[in-house]
Amino acid sequence: MALPQVGGGSYHFNSNNFMIEAESVPQVEGPYPLSTLRHSVAHLMASAVQKLYPGAQFGFGPAIEHGFYYDFELPEPLTEKDLRKIEKEMRRIANRSPKIEKSVVSREDARKQLQEWGQTYKLEGLDLIPEDEEITFYFHGDGDVRWGDLCEGPHVDSLKDHNFVFKLQRVAGAYWRGDEKNPMLQRIYGTAFWDKEAMDVHLAWLEEVKLRDHRKLGSDLDLFSTHEEAGAGFVFWHPNLGTVRREIERYWWDLHTAGGYKPVYTPHVSRESLFAVSGHLENYGDMMYAPMDLDALPYRVKPMNCPGHALIFKDRGRSYRELPVRWAELGTVYRYERSGVVHGMLRVRGFTQDDAHIFCTPEQLADEIAGVCKLVDTVLKTFGFEYKAYLATKPPEKTIGDDAIWERATESLKEAAASVDLELELDEGGGAFYGPKIDYKIKDALGREWQNSTIQCDFNLPERFDLHYTASDGSQMRPIMVHRAILGSLERFVGGLIEHFGGKFPVWLAPTQVAVIPIREEHAGYAKGLAERLEAELFRVEAMLDAGHMNKKIKQAQKDQVPYMLIAGEREAAEGTVAVRRRGTREQTVVPFEQFLEMVTGIRDTKSLEVPEP
RNA sequence: GCUGCUGUAGCUCAGUGGUAGAGCACUUCCUUGGUAAGGAAGAGGUCACGGGUUCAAGUCCCGUCAGCAGCUCCA
């Protein structure tokens, strides 16, 4: 999809290059910051709602990352159709009396005013304003559309004298003040920009997000499904995505083997008492599935893998000489998620973590963390993700472990990051109750941030399981346990990957890597030979040899996002060449088959994200 | 879980109380085509599921399940 030309830079989403060129996003300067404009448009919207739905109660209406929203309590539910009506009214109001005026009032006058208007939520909002802060109202409109709002501002001075565009996007429910114990209000989301082109680019971005939705691609590309028969939040991986997953797992195990990790496997079901020891029952019980009775004892499906790994550590005495131990498991866990939150592959009720636990001494901690940081870097770069890392430190209360060990562990995290040139942003007090951690945020091809990788120090589980090792002086010491996941969960990671790549998987991951298409049926023999040569090199090949039209096969292979098509007719058969057509292009390059094979082998084996010409 | 919306063929969707439809995909036959839709015929639906209203329900009502946009919560 080609987007409007903006500021001399063109903007293409759908080329073979899956990344979006972020630098070509236009930055249009208006007379006020964009967030001020959006906040003012939120007011404009609220006044229109007031006009159309007398008796509306108003909640909050701030500017947000890509626009704004305003929460209302209305006698009837809004539909998308009502949004057009509200937009129309907004334009009318803005044209008629566009000035926005600020009015500073006393707390008492503010209260009186809001009582007069009958705005109960706003009155509650008034009480949230600190004593020493100035209280302001902003007014616009006149006559029957005169509208004011308790608001700290700032706002644009006029809704008419500056050029801007806006659009109301959707309506949804939202709890008053974000608390599910409070009543639910109706929220209208919208956006506003200083110029139409910028908004068009933003809307096109939203379209692209929709096109790349892993649920849509999941069905278009035959990747995965969920089933009413199986229940919400349980993912069925189809052969195509199974192939992607197997490649990722193979890569993951190779890296971990090289990194000194040993594989472990632990049961999906264990006695409930195990989770009492680990503390999961107490702290995580709401997320766990109900117990099942086996021989009159309660058993549970595991929500995490760590208790199992702790049991393995505890199975025999450990010496300082064998530390650190690094144990990895692609461990499938089950967690109860409320029905409204399950979402494709990104939020599910059963998933596989790329889990590993490192048991080490405090002295070893920094080196171990550094090793994990390197591993994370390698993996994320392989998939083309940029990332940022955050150091989450000791929360203010309810923690386990004395200050000395917290300090030492936090220092180790810092030291480790420094040793691998990893910049850490501080997330003060963001650690778990059981230890400090480093969290990674990755940025995908659409510029969206995801949280996947995490490295967590744990002082709690070693305590609860009474884990120990014999130190060189013969004393019994407590190991530190490091939990770490790089992908997070395979479901969420691969679901995100589908969107990151827009279904255009790099060669090493692509379910079908090469499609072989004969021009006429009589060339099928040559084509078959090519396919066999590729299969002998362990390529995943689709040999489209049946009697059908070449054009249909090309169309099919393009739709399936196959990175390379080899098209072979009389000339190619005579010369031992292939006409190579790359994903997302219409050009062909005719090269000797051997040359193609060598090129594509290199691309695959280096896990390149490119799909170059041969 | 909550608010609102939705569920008709594999997919996208039409069908507002009276005999279930279209395009694409699929199957068969014809077509032998040099880079994204050749032609014809055919098959395919317990209208998510259960109950109710009605002479009559895909259509109206209630419930359940599943999905969508969010909220809240999370890998």
Side-chain angles (χ1 to χ4, degrees), chain A residues 202 305 339 563:
Chain A
H202 176 67
N305 302 302
S339 62

Side-chain angles (χ1 to χ4, degrees), chain A residues 398-435:
Chain A
K398 275 197 184 172
T399 58
I400 180 170
D402 56 41
D403 283 354
I405 191 150
W406 270 89
E407 201 168 308
R408 179 154 197 188
T410 307
E411 280 312 308
S412 296
L413 291 175
K414 282 189 196 163
E415 189 188 315
S419 75
V420 295
D421 291 322
L422 173 68
E423 215 169 290
L424 291 178
E425 292 184 36
L426 193 62
D427 176 9
E428 185 74 51
F433 76 90
Y434 50 76

Side-chain angles (χ1 to χ4, degrees), chain A residues 79-136:
Chain A
T79 67
E80 303 278 328
K81 272 194 205 118
D82 297 320
L83 297 184
R84 303 288 84 79
K85 208 166 67 189
I86 296 167
E87 282 179 350
K88 214 172 140 192
E89 183 61 25
M90 288 167 71
R91 295 201 174 85
R92 207 177 66 83
I93 294 171
N95 276 320
R96 206 167 101 187
S97 40
K99 295 289 175 215
I100 298 185
E101 289 150 17
K102 179 178 174 177
S103 153
V104 181
V105 297
S106 73
R107 189 168 287 263
E108 266 326 292
D109 288 348
R111 190 179 310 280
K112 254 194 263 170
Q113 177 71 86
L114 291 171
Q115 271 163 354
E116 189 187 313
W117 287 337
Q119 291 294 337
T120 52
Y121 295 109
K122 285 290 172 189
L123 278 164
E124 205 177 322
L126 178 63
D127 291 336
L128 296 174
I129 301 174
E131 279 304 324
D132 51 346
E133 229 162 80
E134 187 178 74
I135 291 173
T136 53

Side-chain angles (χ1 to χ4, degrees), chain A residues 184-211:
Chain A
M184 182 156 280
L185 308 177
Q186 297 193 61
R187 173 172 295 179
I188 300 178
Y189 284 93
T191 192
F193 287 88
W194 287 116
D195 74 324
K196 185 166 183 309
E197 284 192 327
M199 184 159 89
D200 286 346
V201 168
H202 176 67
L203 296 177
W205 180 80
L206 288 177
E207 280 304 305
E208 180 66 18
V209 168
K210 216 196 254 171
L211 283 175

